[in-house]
Amino acid sequence: MAYAEEIRRRRTFAIVSHPDAGKTTLTEKLLLFGGAIHVAGAVKSNKIKKTATSDWMEIEKQRGISVATSVMAFDYAGHKINILDTPGHQDFAEDTFRTLTAVDSVIIVIDAAKGVEAQTRKLMEVCRMRKTPVIVFVNKLDRDGKDPFDLLDEVEEELQIKVRPLSWPIDMGQRFKGVYNIYEKKLDIYTPSKQYVTESIEFKDVNSTELEKHIDAPLAVKLREDLELIEGVYPAFDVDTYLKGDIAPVFFGSALNNFGVKELLDCFVRIAPSPRPVQALERVVDPEEENFTGFIFKIHANMDPNHRSCIAFVKICSGKFERNANYRHVRFDKIMRFSSPTAFMAQKKEVVDEAFAGDIIGLPDTGNFTIGDTLTAGENLHFKGLPSFSPEMFNYIENVDPMKAKQLNKGIEQLMDEGVAQLFTNRFNGRKIIGTVGQLQFEVIQYRLLHEYGAQCKWEPLSLYKACWIESGDAEMLENFKKRKVQYMAWDKEGRDVYLADSSYVLTMAQQDFPAIKFHFTSEF
Ligand code: G4P
């Protein structure tokens, strides 16, 4: 196959949701369609069960399983689909954010009964920042849920994106009859006892009395009214607007019952983007350029202290990656060769000879890579777009054993390179502060420092509200601010200025008193 064709047929995306909305179930059904697995239940949920929240070793074991399912690739209708899995537990939200930097589009799953939930809102923020095209799948229509129009309003309002339904449910819960596929003008009838589509009929004109032959008269009347309202209220679907990230097509269905999933997949392969150009510091890189480029978006550590190897996940941004070819590790300005790059087919991991833009490969690593590192065929290029978000929790990290200071520092540095948490250094007292999304990471760090680096640490709680990256065109005001807030100023790992606000009130006051200073809640602005 021609090289450009190889790239154009790729669809690299992530399915994201609030825990329990149905991400794992939907992923599994997509794999079944792709023939990548043959029985339901084959995909291990990487969702961390609620009962395990206090037992993080158990969580790490589950995360270990999830390496294999980090990327699931399969062929469908001539396309190569790469699904990137994201951790279900919100304490690992930062992992999910980073994974979103490696995808070209996203499917958001929403539970019809619960609507838009907290985690979905946050994930959408990242998609919006990056203008990632989004498709919404409203799941669990086999149960009673919210009114579909109310759900659409909720999605528009809460996720701040325009929507356009491409399928429409005919009743729901026990009375769920199926969906009208607006995109393909088809009527898909659902039979609860069989739990799949029993009739898929082309149905161009819903005003035809034929409709009553398939669904009861009141439902037919309601469907016609609903569709009329949809046509009146929502703009016609336009693929380019979707590709720009300005409108989200919406599908309804039930992942568990495999209803509406094939419709979603068929539409997805048609409209979802192939690998998109990626912005580097120096220039925009087009996926079809001949030379290989890529960046590391995730590092997965082996928890076994005797084998301290990691897998660095590379998103290929352009060209073709070849095994044993010489590539440049830009940050080190060093040439490297990789003899055993792995690709992920369904749930198998295997060594590959080549991979193309859009693909994800895993490189065995012994500490050479940091998240965000760029690899190229030689060019001096730096991909950007791996923002850090303000952590939610902060602790001073203290060394317990003075003889092990060196080990502790090395451990902290490497764990931060892996992206386990964020490190800040207080400018006033020089103390190290670790910022995380959830309590769990503190336990993980403490355990790993001890078991992998032989260093003991303890935590000293620090009550902070947010970390803000600051900048200003007014150098004098910036200096004044730093002087005034000297005890609350820190450097992040890259040496950038960060203001650690201890309450939302103090932050609002600072914003008022120093109008020429911009306060950012992500490290990229
Ligand atoms: P997640 O990855 O987003 O966290 O969700 P997951 O797919 O694990 O689904 C969460 C629960 O919702 C599961 O039930 C799953 O069976 C159920 N579910 C998914 N899709 C549908 C649907 O279309 N209709 C209905 N009624 N339920 C659905 P569970 O009891 O938590 O787990 P399990 O024991 O069934 O695996």
Side-chain angles (χ1 to χ4, degrees):
M1 189 178 294
Y3 159 80
E5 276 306 300
E6 268 297 348
I7 293 172
R8 276 177 223 158
R9 76 185 191 98
R10 278 161 165 72
R11 300 283 182 275
T12 303
F13 74 108
I15 303 178
V16 300
S17 75
H18 190 86
D20 276 346
K23 178 171 71 76
T24 312
T25 314
L26 180 64
T27 307
E28 180 170 285
K29 295 292 148 65
L30 294 178
L31 291 177
L32 279 166
F33 279 119
I37 55 169
H38 300 284
V39 284
V43 176
K44 286 271 175 300
S45 166
N46 105 19
K47 176 176 54 173
I48 287 138
K49 298 285 178 208
K50 287 177 198 77
T51 49
T53 44
S54 57
D55 180 1
W56 73 266
M57 264 316 276
E58 184 53 35
I59 291 170
E60 274 305 324
K61 260 195 249 151
Q62 294 187 30
R63 258 158 67 83
I65 297 167
S66 78
V67 178
T69 57
S70 281
V71 186
M72 287 163 280
F74 60 92
D75 283 299
Y76 180 77
H79 294 279
K80 165 132 192 247
I81 316 269
N82 293 315
I83 306 181
L84 272 61
D85 200 10
T86 52
H89 197 290
Q90 62 181 17
D91 280 12
F92 295 103
E94 193 84 15
D95 267 17
T96 304
F97 298 151
R98 279 193 294 258
T99 299
L100 292 182
T101 63
V103 301
D104 298 302
S105 71
V106 161
I107 294 181
I108 294 184
V109 184
I110 289 174
D111 182 327
K114 295 195 178 137
V116 174
E117 295 170 89
Q119 190 76 349
T120 328
R121 228 170 283 139
K122 239 175 149 175
L123 293 163
M124 184 63 211
E125 242 170 70
V126 183
C127 295
R128 211 175 319 110
M129 264 171 65
R130 307 179 56 81
K131 291 260 163 211
T132 311
V134 163
I135 295 181
V136 176
F137 182 73
V138 180
N139 191 26
K140 306 198 186 181
L141 263 288
D142 59 317
R143 285 197 190 157
D144 282 314
K146 299 187 182 182
D147 173 75
F149 280 112
D150 289 348
L151 272 169
L152 294 181
D153 284 352
E154 191 177 323
V155 170
E156 284 205 328
E157 206 167 292
E158 300 263 339
L159 300 185
Q160 290 174 40
I161 183 159
K162 294 252 162 281
V163 297
R164 178 35 158 127
L166 287 188
S167 76
W168 195 250
I170 304 167
D171 225 326
M172 60 168 65
Q174 300 261 324
R175 304 163 316 280
F176 182 49
K177 284 284 169 310
V179 295
Y180 181 67
N181 185 335
I182 303 173
Y183 185 64
E184 293 184 11
K185 301 215 177 313
K186 268 192 193 153
L187 186 65
D188 290 338
I189 306 283
Y190 169 78
T191 308
S193 59
K194 299 220 167 95
Q195 300 205 328
Y196 57 79
V197 185
T198 41
E199 276 184 274
S200 183
I201 315 143
E202 190 162 336
F203 218 95
K204 290 227 153 51
D205 179 15
V206 285
N207 288 321
S208 137
T209 49
E210 282 289 301
L211 189 59
E212 273 81 354
K213 289 191 182 149
H214 300 283
I215 53 177
D216 294 346
L219 288 179
V221 172
K222 172 93 171 41
L223 178 64
R224 288 185 190 114
E225 281 172 8
D226 284 356
L227 292 176
E228 203 179 307
L229 192 59
I230 290 169
E231 297 310 324
V233 172
Y234 297 100
F237 177 62
D238 171 49
V239 177
D240 286 335
T241 319
Y242 153 72
L243 290 175
K244 282 193 202 129
D246 290 334
I247 199 159
V250 181
F251 287 84
F252 292 85
S254 163
L256 188 65
N257 296 304
N258 211 351
F259 189 85
V261 178
K262 185 164 185 300
E263 290 73 8
L264 171 74
L265 180 60
D266 285 339
C267 177
F268 171 81
V269 292
R270 269 160 70 179
I271 67 170
S274 52
R276 307 199 300 163
V278 187
Q279 179 73 52
L281 216 54
E282 293 79 1
R283 65 185 184 87
V284 175
V285 176
D286 191 86
E288 290 179 29
E289 286 176 21
E290 219 161 278
N291 287 333
F292 159 78
T293 63
F295 67 86
I296 315 280
F297 67 94
K298 165 173 172 156
I299 294 178
H300 204 292
N302 187 341
M303 291 295 291
D304 179 351
N306 300 319
H307 302 94
R308 206 158 70 219
S309 63
C310 307
I311 299 181
F313 288 78
V314 182
K315 162 78 187 275
I316 304 180
C317 299
S318 70
K320 180 161 91 169
F321 175 94
E322 285 176 291
R323 187 159 83 95
N324 283 325
N326 287 334
Y327 292 123
R328 176 174 174 191
H329 182 315
V330 176
R331 186 170 52 92
F332 285 170
D333 194 13
K334 181 168 110 178
I335 298 298
M336 294 178 85
R337 290 171 57 162
F338 304 97
S339 58
S340 46
T342 49
F344 307 84
M345 274 315 270
Q347 292 171 285
K348 286 200 298 286
K349 201 169 97 206
E350 52 193 37
V351 173
V352 285
D353 290 324
E354 55 178 38
F356 294 86
D359 287 338
I360 310 296
I361 48 169
L363 301 177
D365 176 41
T366 46
N368 277 313
F369 292 119
T370 297
I371 284 181
D373 274 347
T374 302
L375 283 173
T376 69
E379 190 177 348
N380 185 28
L381 201 69
H382 300 81
F383 284 109
K384 47 184 217 168
L386 291 150
S388 300
F389 293 81
S390 172
E392 311 276 329
M393 294 182 177
F394 302 84
N395 272 334
Y396 276 123
I397 184 164
E398 286 296 318
N399 186 10
V400 172
D401 180 354
M403 302 298 287
K404 295 282 173 65
K406 236 166 112 182
Q407 284 88 334
L408 184 74
N409 286 336
K410 181 162 179 245
I412 294 175
E413 197 179 310
Q414 290 195 350
L415 293 185
M416 298 307 126
D417 282 352
E418 264 179 45
V420 175
Q422 289 181 59
L423 174 70
F424 303 98
T425 310
N426 188 310
R427 285 166 52 138
F428 184 65
N429 55 23
R431 292 174 73 186
K432 287 192 165 84
I433 299 166
I434 305 286
T436 68
V437 181
Q439 183 56 34
L440 219 53
Q441 274 119 313
F442 290 117
E443 293 171 39
V444 172
I445 293 167
Q446 198 165 29
Y447 180 93
R448 289 190 55 187
L449 285 173
L450 183 62
H451 288 84
E452 294 173 35
Y453 300 89
Q456 254 178 300
C457 76
K458 65 174 190 212
W459 304 109
E460 190 183 313
L462 189 56
S463 167
L464 290 174
Y465 167 64
K466 282 245 179 322
C468 315
W469 283 262
I470 55 169
E471 61 162 354
S472 177
D474 184 339
E476 200 183 320
M477 187 179 279
L478 195 60
E479 270 321 298
N480 265 339
F481 179 80
K482 288 193 214 169
K483 255 188 226 147
R484 176 101 73 90
K485 300 283 182 189
V486 64
Q487 293 187 30
Y488 293 94
M489 289 307 301
W491 289 290
D492 72 1
K493 212 161 68 65
E494 272 79 46
R496 286 171 297 205
D497 283 328
V498 177
Y499 166 52
L500 303 170
D502 54 352
S503 74
S504 105
Y505 173 75
V506 169
L507 177 61
T508 313
M509 293 309 288
Q511 284 166 324
Q512 270 174 23
D513 294 348
F514 297 88
I517 295 181
K518 287 200 184 112
F519 297 79
H520 302 279
F521 299 109
T522 65
S523 64
E524 202 185 85
F525 35 83

